[in-house]
Amino acid sequence: MEIIITPDYEAMSKMSAVVIAREVKRKHDLVLGLATGDTPIGTYRELAKLHKEEGLDFSKVTIFNLDEYLGLAPLNKNSYNYFMWENLFKHVNVSQHKIFVPQGNTDDPEEFSEWYEKQILNVGGIDLQVLGIGGDGHIGFNEPGSSFASRTRVKGLYEQTIKDNARFFDKEEDVPRFAITMGVGTIMDAKKILLIASGEGKADVCKEFIEGPVTSQITATALQLHSYAIVVLDEKAASKLERKEYYNWVRDNKHVVEKRIGR
Ligand code: F6R
């Protein structure tokens, strides 16, 4: 994993938007996997800015979102579909028929999940998957114990996730107990992965998933087994990493190697 430590949330947002924009420019019909939550709001703001000010073109990009609460209709203000429209889709020129967000109010979540996996396959798989990380180490809603081979399916939310996400709802009891989420296996099939994290509250879990042993109890540790994963953190989220100086040294010196191999 390439670990990039940035000074603060703003810098993390800018850096992650640059990584995404680089891929969109490299491949105009990029298949982009996206996440919701507090962490990527700044990244999406930066992408909207790049679209407005520099003409970053999303017209051929296909988007697959990671997850959605089970039972919430797409227009529900707490749905991830609504979040994505508010924070990104309505600010860029992404084409509506190229947007895929799991349908929370589907009658048949199992059939829907299979259909979702097929749609990903039909477009040749995800080129770049953007992730946040939950306090319990989840990616998507792959809670502790999720198999690394799991595919899109319904998952019961872990107590800590319900507590963490209660801030978006009037009361904790309103947080849905289930979600449709891409599996760890679905995420690991992406050609490239970008995980972003910020704030002190993520420091322990970032240390565990970057420097700890690989375990399905912290599903983000699966990224240690991916061939192309970039992690962009702010200083606070990186504060408990033991090998911080090494990651910074690599970041500052990798151009030497990249030049030699002619990238
Ligand atoms: C959201 C998602 C989750 C979040 C994670 C962090 O689509 O898949 O894994 O990325 O819960 O959420 P925040 O950014 O709100 O701390």
Side-chain angles (χ1 to χ4, degrees), residues 81-251:
N81 180 73
Y82 187 87
F83 172 98
M84 289 308 300
W85 279 95
E86 286 302 302
N87 287 289
L88 182 68
F89 300 158
K90 74 177 186 191
H91 305 290
V92 295
N93 64 335
V94 61
S95 142
Q96 201 163 341
H97 71 275
K98 288 182 185 293
I99 294 174
F100 295 83
V101 180
Q103 193 189 329
N105 63 347
T106 171
D107 287 338
D108 190 339
E110 221 169 274
E111 190 184 43
F112 179 86
S113 300
E114 272 175 37
W115 177 85
Y116 204 68
E117 287 279 332
K118 269 190 203 128
Q119 302 316 302
I120 296 174
L121 279 183
N122 283 349
V123 292
I126 293 171
D127 293 306
L128 174 66
Q129 176 65 55
V130 178
L131 301 172
I133 182 168
D136 63 1
H138 70 212
I139 46 176
F141 273 131
N142 292 289
E143 300 291 32
S146 294
S147 162
F148 283 2
S150 54
R151 312 301 306 186
T152 303
R153 71 208 182 292
V154 172
K155 189 76 196 164
L157 303 189
Y158 191 53
E159 229 181 289
Q160 187 178 347
T161 302
I162 293 167
K163 283 203 166 62
D164 286 350
N165 290 5
R167 67 191 191 278
F168 298 111
F169 294 81
D170 290 340
K171 42 189 191 321
E172 201 177 302
E173 297 84 80
D174 293 345
V175 183
R177 267 36 186 179
F178 293 92
I180 300 178
T181 179
M182 282 186 203
V184 181
T186 321
I187 292 169
M188 291 294 282
D189 282 350
K191 293 171 193 94
K192 296 180 183 176
I193 292 180
L194 166 66
L195 185 146
I196 56 177
S198 84
E200 251 171 68
K202 297 285 171 73
D204 283 320
V205 81
C206 284
K207 166 153 180 53
E208 280 179 296
F209 103 85
I210 294 170
E211 297 179 338
V214 174
T215 167
S216 66
Q217 298 308 310
I218 300 170
T219 51
T221 60
L223 267 54
Q224 293 181 27
L225 306 174
H226 196 277
S227 61
Y228 197 119
I230 301 177
V231 179
V232 180
L233 307 171
D234 69 2
E235 278 287 351
K236 285 182 179 160
S239 58
K240 298 207 170 150
L241 294 179
E242 265 169 41
R243 285 180 275 280
K244 222 161 102 177
E245 278 173 28
Y246 171 65
Y247 308 134
N248 288 340
W249 179 84
V250 171
R251 181 199 59 203

